[in-house]
Amino acid sequence: MSIRIGILGYGNLGRGVECAISQNEDMELAAVFTRRDPKKLSILTTTAAVCSVSEVQEWKDKIDVMIICGGSATDLPKQTPEYARYFNVIDSFDTHAKIPEHFANVDAAAKESGHVAIISVGWDPGMFSLNRMYANAILPEGSDYTFWGKGVSQGHSDAIRRIPGVKDGKQYTIPVEAALEAVRNGENPELSTREKHTRECFVVLEEGADPTQVEQTIKTMPNYFADYDTTVHFISEEELQEKHSGIPHGGFVLRSGKTGWNREHSHLIEYRLKLDSNPEFTSSVLVAYARAASRLAREGQNGAKTVFDIAPAYLSAKSGEELRKSML
Amino acid sequence: MSIRIGILGYGNLGRGVECAISQNEDMELAAVFTRRDPKKLSILTTTAAVCSVSEVQEWKDKIDVMIICGGSATDLPKQTPEYARYFNVIDSFDTHAKIPEHFANVDAAAKESGHVAIISVGWDPGMFSLNRMYANAILPEGSDYTFWGKGVSQGHSDAIRRIPGVKDGKQYTIPVEAALEAVRNGENPELSTREKHTRECFVVLEEGADPTQVEQTIKTMPNYFADYDTTVHFISEEELQEKHSGIPHGGFVLRSGKTGWNREHSHLIEYRLKLDSNPEFTSSVLVAYARAASRLAREGQNGAKTVFDIAPAYLSAKSGEELRKSML
């Protein structure tokens, strides 16, 4: 029997989940729940229902796992504990500093209702976290490095767009190649913010806006740009549409460590992602963990979990026997 | 209370395990078991016992996990099922084709005795397997690539040393950079054996041996070298000692896959290891999984397991709370 998935929220992430489900034969999309008028929402999967979030409780017994595709700032802190009362749930909560609080809230709700809830699933937090954790367990003495990019930072692009005189803009975070190489060479560098990443901005000006003024405002913006070497390019609206409408991202997690009685041997563990579509990759991770959630629930487990708590085999449609034969 | 570890077999791997234990505060080396005369074996850990394998049963209640450091060809197929009768065990069995058979034998023994046995732990099989599995679960449509090196292949070095006229030799397996780049660029290349790796040999000749003859014998050796572009360097015994006495290794696991309703987006997942010491890194992985074995046994689990069956958090000395706070 297929694993019946619900999607709550149909933005980039929800659409990505829909696409990912179509790549997994043991899953089917049962319904998409939206805060908008369901009649006005058209989805890609012809066999799935489109419903208002107000109807969600009627689907209690018709959905095995609800994937909650809201934002981390205001949606997920409310939604995940709320829907964990009715469903096994998964989210991609990514406000690192607030994870302990979110975990506690979701855990309480999921334990009370007897559901499984997996939080902070995606690539960072998610696959990057897993790689940090495995690498630290294997090489207890060493240094960790995370680099992001090349990719679009939504937060930094939004910051640019709020500047007076800016019509539209997109910001790329780019890891500094020399810093990456120093880490790979086992130099264990101590890297400042500026030494790790550069920022590149593509900006469309409003008519009559002063480019020098805008560039200065961007480059000196505290937190967002002031601590980085930032490049600003002014381009036309057409060029922005044509060349910068994607949402690529990715990055690197590295651990450089020592072994040997006198710590005489160096080792490097590197994990890299290069993603054409940040939301579609995140969605693909969510869907793999939805499989795990459904299995764990069938085993009678409950409460909040993270990627650290889930044995890898739960993510795969293959049996243990097949996995040992083909992938070990 | 510390996790009490036993080491069975004190070659490169056993010594590596001893070093790795010294990097983990929650563990202690209880005893090393050897087939040699224990009186003639000196180890690094002053607090640990050195015993004959014949005494191993006396340690039944004094060791939480026995790490079996034998070879895959003849030792482990016998040793792991045998010692699983008395201990929780871990091995690094790496004959990929025979894993299903080994798993079945170990599983039967471990279930009968109520112990946990984790097999095929290391980097390949081990961390490479994990990365293949995670990447396949996340990107169900795509291609897998594994490259090994740059590193010393023991099997190929042995093959060189068996050639008449060769006094000593070392072989490096080297991934072809152009092939790696094609994979990273999402070209999904179909790669022949020759296109993936080259082989570089450093050979010390016996006095009077014919270099042309030896080089020809190496380059045309079936299975080992004939399908590869092979380079042979003749060097002095001193140079071999000085520059080629290490046991470095490593490699790359890549998965290139597509997402999107029309598979319009490409993604690359890359995992890389660069290791100064192949046995010490393998040992470090073994020791992290020994922690998992001890915990699983305390939970009352038993039977054979692989890296696919073990939730990542079991490998870490940190609590779930600490992990969520610091690594998620």
Side-chain angles (χ1 to χ4, degrees), chain B residues 33 112 207 257 261:
Chain B
F33 299 89
E112 205 187 311
E207 220 177 288
W261 197 250

Side-chain angles (χ1 to χ4, degrees), chain B:
Chain B
M1 209 184 72
S2 279
I3 301 167
R4 299 163 302 175
I5 306 286
I7 294 174
L8 202 140
Y10 196 71
N12 283 333
L13 200 59
R15 266 190 296 275
V17 168
E18 182 179 22
C19 295
I21 291 168
S22 78
Q23 295 186 282
N24 288 279
E25 288 181 7
D26 58 339
M27 299 193 177
E28 60 179 276
L29 178 61
V32 170
F33 299 89
T34 177
R35 287 180 286 203
R36 294 175 265 173
D37 178 355
K39 290 195 198 74
K40 288 184 183 156
L41 183 66
S42 96
I43 64 170
L44 301 160
T45 310
T46 51
T47 52
V50 180
C51 307
S52 163
V53 284
S54 63
E55 304 167 61
V56 76
Q57 291 196 38
E58 296 165 29
W59 288 80
K60 224 176 146 333
D61 303 316
K62 290 182 260 179
I63 281 172
D64 297 306
V65 184
M66 183 71 83
I67 303 182
I68 306 183
C69 299
S72 294
T74 56
D75 297 334
L76 297 177
K78 287 187 187 174
Q79 290 177 336
T80 312
E82 182 184 340
Y83 294 108
R85 291 158 61 193
Y86 313 110
F87 300 98
N88 301 308
V89 293
I90 312 233
D91 77 21
S92 60
F93 185 77
D94 67 358
T95 313
H96 290 263
K98 294 189 176 167
I99 285 174
E101 185 189 334
H102 187 58
F103 184 90
N105 293 338
V106 174
D107 192 47
K111 279 198 175 131
E112 205 187 311
S113 70
H115 288 106
V116 169
I118 313 180
I119 65 155
S120 299
V121 173
W123 59 274
D124 192 6
M127 298 315 295
F128 273 18
S129 324
L130 271 183
N131 276 280
R132 280 189 281 265
M133 208 234 84
Y134 274 118
N136 273 269
I138 294 167
L139 297 175
E141 296 178 37
S143 307
D144 291 306
Y145 297 89
T146 302
F147 293 85
W148 292 275
K150 182 182 179 175
V152 172
S153 162
Q154 218 53 60
H156 288 78
S157 300
D158 289 346
I160 293 173
R161 286 191 285 258
R162 284 193 297 264
I163 296 170
V166 170
K167 191 169 181 190
D168 204 351
K170 207 92 178 232
Q171 192 268 183
Y172 294 90
T173 305
I174 304 167
V176 174
E177 196 58 41
L180 261 171
E181 278 310 306
V183 173
R184 288 190 183 120
N185 292 337
E187 297 169 26
N188 288 323
E190 293 211 13
L191 298 163
S192 67
T193 298
R194 192 178 297 276
E195 286 166 332
K196 287 185 71 183
H197 298 94
T198 56
R199 300 200 176 276
E200 190 169 21
C201 309
F202 294 87
V203 178
V204 180
L205 290 174
E206 304 272 12
E207 220 177 288
D210 174 9
T212 315
Q213 176 64 42
V214 168
E215 182 168 346
Q216 192 59 18
T217 307
I218 293 174
K219 288 185 170 177
T220 57
M221 198 185 295
N223 302 321
Y224 285 90
F225 294 101
D227 299 334
Y228 298 85
D229 290 334
T230 301
T231 317
V232 179
H233 308 276
F234 294 104
I235 61 175
S236 68
E237 203 162 3
E238 295 68 39
E239 191 179 343
L240 192 80
Q241 279 301 321
E242 198 188 313
K243 295 186 184 161
H244 305 284
S245 60
I247 320 175
H249 220 311
F252 303 79
V253 170
L254 304 103
R255 185 162 175 86
S256 165
K258 299 274 188 190
T259 66
W261 197 250
N262 300 305
R263 315 299 181 248
E264 62 272 29
H265 293 126
S266 296
H267 305 274
L268 181 81
I269 302 175
E270 174 174 345
Y271 181 77
R272 178 197 188 179
L273 294 174
K274 200 173 89 175
L275 314 175
D276 267 6
S277 165
N278 183 350
E280 283 181 11
F281 188 82
T282 301
S283 302
S284 298
V285 182
L286 283 165
V287 166
Y289 276 93
R291 180 180 289 119
S294 134
R295 289 180 180 175
L296 291 166
R298 264 186 269 145
E299 290 179 8
Q301 300 211 35
N302 63 59
K305 302 184 183 300
T306 73
V307 295
F308 298 148
D309 306 311
I310 294 170
Y314 282 94
L315 274 64
S316 173
K318 294 188 174 173
S319 71
E321 200 175 343
E322 285 173 299
L323 287 177
R324 286 191 292 277
K325 204 170 165 179
S326 64
M327 294 204 185
L328 198 62

Side-chain angles (χ1 to χ4, degrees), chain A residues 158-208:
Chain A
D158 290 344
I160 293 174
R161 285 191 287 258
R162 282 193 297 265
I163 296 170
V166 171
K167 192 171 181 187
D168 204 351
K170 207 93 177 232
Q171 193 269 181
Y172 295 90
T173 305
I174 304 167
V176 174
E177 196 58 42
L180 261 172
E181 278 311 307
V183 173
R184 288 189 183 122
N185 291 337
E187 297 169 24
N188 288 323
E190 293 211 12
L191 298 164
S192 67
T193 299
R194 190 177 302 274
E195 285 166 331
K196 288 185 70 183
H197 297 94
T198 55
R199 300 198 176 277
E200 190 170 21
C201 309
F202 293 87
V203 179
V204 180
L205 290 175
E206 303 273 12
E207 219 177 290

Side-chain angles (χ1 to χ4, degrees), chain A:
Chain A
M1 208 185 70
S2 279
I3 301 168
R4 299 163 301 174
I5 306 285
I7 294 175
L8 202 140
Y10 195 71
N12 283 332
L13 199 59
R15 266 190 297 274
V17 168
E18 183 179 21
C19 295
I21 291 168
S22 78
Q23 297 187 281
N24 288 281
E25 287 181 8
D26 58 339
M27 300 195 177
E28 61 178 278
L29 178 60
V32 170
F33 299 89
T34 178
R35 286 180 287 203
R36 295 176 265 174
D37 178 356
K39 289 197 199 73
K40 289 186 183 151
L41 184 67
S42 95
I43 65 170
L44 300 161
T45 309
T46 51
T47 52
V50 181
C51 307
S52 163
V53 285
S54 62
E55 303 167 60
V56 76
Q57 291 195 39
E58 297 164 29
W59 288 80
K60 223 175 148 334
D61 302 316
K62 290 182 261 180
I63 280 171
D64 297 308
V65 184
M66 183 71 83
I67 304 183
I68 306 183
C69 299
S72 294
T74 55
D75 297 334
L76 296 177
K78 286 186 186 174
Q79 289 176 336
T80 312
E82 184 184 338
Y83 294 108
R85 290 158 62 192
Y86 312 109
F87 300 98
N88 301 307
V89 294
I90 312 231
D91 76 22
S92 60
F93 184 77
D94 68 358
T95 313
H96 289 263
K98 292 189 178 167
I99 285 174
E101 186 189 335
H102 186 57
F103 183 89
N105 293 337
V106 174
D107 192 47
K111 280 197 173 131
E112 207 187 311
S113 70
H115 287 104
V116 170
I118 313 180
I119 66 155
S120 300
V121 172
W123 59 274
D124 193 5
M127 299 313 295
F128 272 19
S129 324
L130 272 183
N131 276 280
R132 280 189 282 265
M133 206 233 85
Y134 274 118
N136 273 269
I138 294 167
L139 297 175
E141 296 178 36
S143 307
D144 291 306
Y145 297 88
T146 301
F147 293 84
W148 292 275
K150 181 181 178 176
V152 171
S153 161
Q154 218 52 59
H156 288 79
S157 300
D158 290 344
I160 293 174
R161 285 191 287 258
R162 282 193 297 265
I163 296 170
V166 171
K167 192 171 181 187
D168 204 351
K170 207 93 177 232
Q171 193 269 181
Y172 295 90
T173 305
I174 304 167
V176 174
E177 196 58 42
L180 261 172
E181 278 311 307
V183 173
R184 288 189 183 122
N185 291 337
E187 297 169 24
N188 288 323
E190 293 211 12
L191 298 164
S192 67
T193 299
R194 190 177 302 274
E195 285 166 331
K196 288 185 70 183
H197 297 94
T198 55
R199 300 198 176 277
E200 190 170 21
C201 309
F202 293 87
V203 179
V204 180
L205 290 175
E206 303 273 12
E207 219 177 290
D210 174 9
T212 316
Q213 177 63 41
V214 168
E215 182 168 346
Q216 190 60 18
T217 307
I218 293 174
K219 289 186 169 176
T220 57
M221 199 186 295
N223 302 321
Y224 285 89
F225 293 101
D227 298 334
Y228 298 85
D229 289 334
T230 301
T231 318
V232 179
H233 307 276
F234 294 103
I235 61 174
S236 69
E237 204 163 1
E238 294 68 40
E239 192 178 343
L240 191 80
Q241 279 300 322
E242 197 188 314
K243 297 185 186 162
H244 305 285
S245 60
I247 320 175
H249 219 313
F252 303 79
V253 170
L254 304 104
R255 185 164 176 86
S256 165
K258 299 276 188 187
T259 66
W261 197 250
N262 299 305
R263 313 302 180 249
E264 61 272 29
H265 292 126
S266 296
H267 305 275
L268 181 80
I269 303 174
E270 175 174 346
Y271 181 76
R272 178 195 188 180
L273 295 174
K274 199 174 89 175
L275 314 174
D276 267 6
S277 165
N278 183 351
E280 283 181 10
F281 188 82
T282 301
S283 303
S284 298
V285 183
L286 283 164
V287 166
Y289 277 93
R291 180 179 289 119
S294 135
R295 289 181 179 174
L296 290 167
R298 264 186 270 145
E299 290 180 8
Q301 299 211 34
N302 64 58
K305 304 187 181 299
T306 74
V307 295
F308 299 148
D309 305 312
I310 294 170
Y314 281 95
L315 273 63
S316 173
K318 295 188 175 173
S319 71
E321 200 173 344
E322 285 174 299
L323 287 176
R324 285 190 293 276
K325 204 170 165 179
S326 64
M327 296 206 183
L328 198 62

